[in-house]
Amino acid sequence: IRDSSVTGVQTCALPISVLLNSGDLAARILETESKERIDLLVMGSHGHHGFTRLIMGSNAENIIHSSVCPVLVISKPTGGLLDKTLGRGFKSLLLATDFSAFSDRALVIALKWAHAFKARLTLFHCVEKVPDATKGITEIFPEYNPYFERQLARAWEQIEHLVPEAERKDIQVVCEVRHGNPKEEVFRVAEEKN
């Protein structure tokens, strides 16, 4: 741990353990997660792209897919992240969902955090603009895509029913369904919702 990181962490009133290990990073983290019975794994990411990622792979991605507990990945943290968020709690949470069982598990955690911090929870789903099944038809008639319209309608119906009314009493839940590239749209929504 770098000195600057330790200084920021030492201001927390929580007990901190430093574990040093060697070997395959993902394997050691997953071993420690199991051995120490970790509830939430928080890790940083370099955000490598292109050739570097192809050669090195993504440790964060490997761990996310193999972890038995939730993983929070911090990439490009802004200065004062600990002071801004942990000091007063999160004020806004964004959950991108694909309506799978994995997303449902993430929803449970997001709801707990939203209640604990009295934060606004934005539920987000993105429908790809032109599904592969209708590409030929929409190339001929771009203004007509009934399958796409059904996807949007179904997504709105699903997202609005994700959080039961009883869960909405103490927190603000906002639903967003957009179309386009899911990766681009989730970043756009995150920026808009702050």
Side-chain angles (χ1 to χ4, degrees):
I1 298 178
R2 293 190 180 106
D3 289 339
S4 62
S5 299
V6 172
T7 303
V9 169
Q10 287 174 341
T11 61
C12 294
L14 301 172
I16 301 204
S17 300
V18 177
L19 301 173
L20 296 176
N21 217 326
S22 63
D24 178 67
L25 179 67
R28 295 295 84 76
I29 288 174
L30 293 169
E31 262 177 32
T32 303
E33 171 194 40
S34 176
K35 181 179 167 190
E36 299 293 325
R37 296 174 35 189
I38 303 297
D39 295 319
L40 173 67
L41 180 58
V42 180
M43 60 186 300
S45 174
H46 294 290
H48 292 299
H49 295 92
F51 186 72
T52 306
R53 183 172 179 159
L54 178 66
I55 298 301
M56 295 177 57
S58 167
N59 285 312
E61 194 171 330
N62 291 337
I63 292 166
I64 287 168
H65 292 293
S66 301
S67 177
V68 295
C69 75
V71 180
L72 176 61
V73 179
I74 307 293
S75 66
K76 302 176 190 164
T78 58
L81 180 67
L82 286 176
D83 298 333
K84 289 180 187 174
T85 57
L86 296 183
R88 60 164 169 62
F90 295 101
K91 65 178 183 177
S92 179
L93 301 169
L94 172 64
L95 174 74
T97 181
D98 62 359
F99 306 118
S100 69
F102 297 108
S103 290
D104 291 347
R105 290 196 310 240
L107 175 62
V108 170
I109 293 165
L111 283 169
K112 286 181 181 180
W113 287 2
H115 282 284
F117 296 119
K118 302 290 187 237
R120 178 184 70 230
L121 174 60
T122 301
L123 304 175
F124 172 72
H125 177 75
C126 185
V127 175
E128 289 192 52
K129 199 161 193 165
V130 180
D132 289 339
T134 62
K135 260 192 175 145
I137 297 170
T138 57
E139 286 172 3
I140 299 169
F141 303 106
E143 69 283 351
Y144 180 73
N145 186 347
Y147 181 71
F148 175 65
E149 294 301 323
R150 282 194 304 255
Q151 275 189 307
L152 278 176
R154 187 171 37 239
W156 271 109
E157 186 177 309
Q158 285 179 281
I159 206 163
E160 288 173 342
H161 291 96
L162 278 179
V163 179
E165 203 57 45
E167 288 285 330
R168 295 174 183 247
K169 288 181 183 175
D170 299 328
I171 59 170
Q172 178 186 7
V173 177
V174 178
C175 298
E176 285 277 336
V177 174
R178 296 193 183 178
H179 62 279
N181 178 306
K183 185 177 177 180
E184 291 172 8
E185 291 301 319
V186 74
F187 287 120
R188 189 171 290 123
V189 171
E191 189 174 295
E192 289 171 10
K193 301 294 180 183
N194 198 6

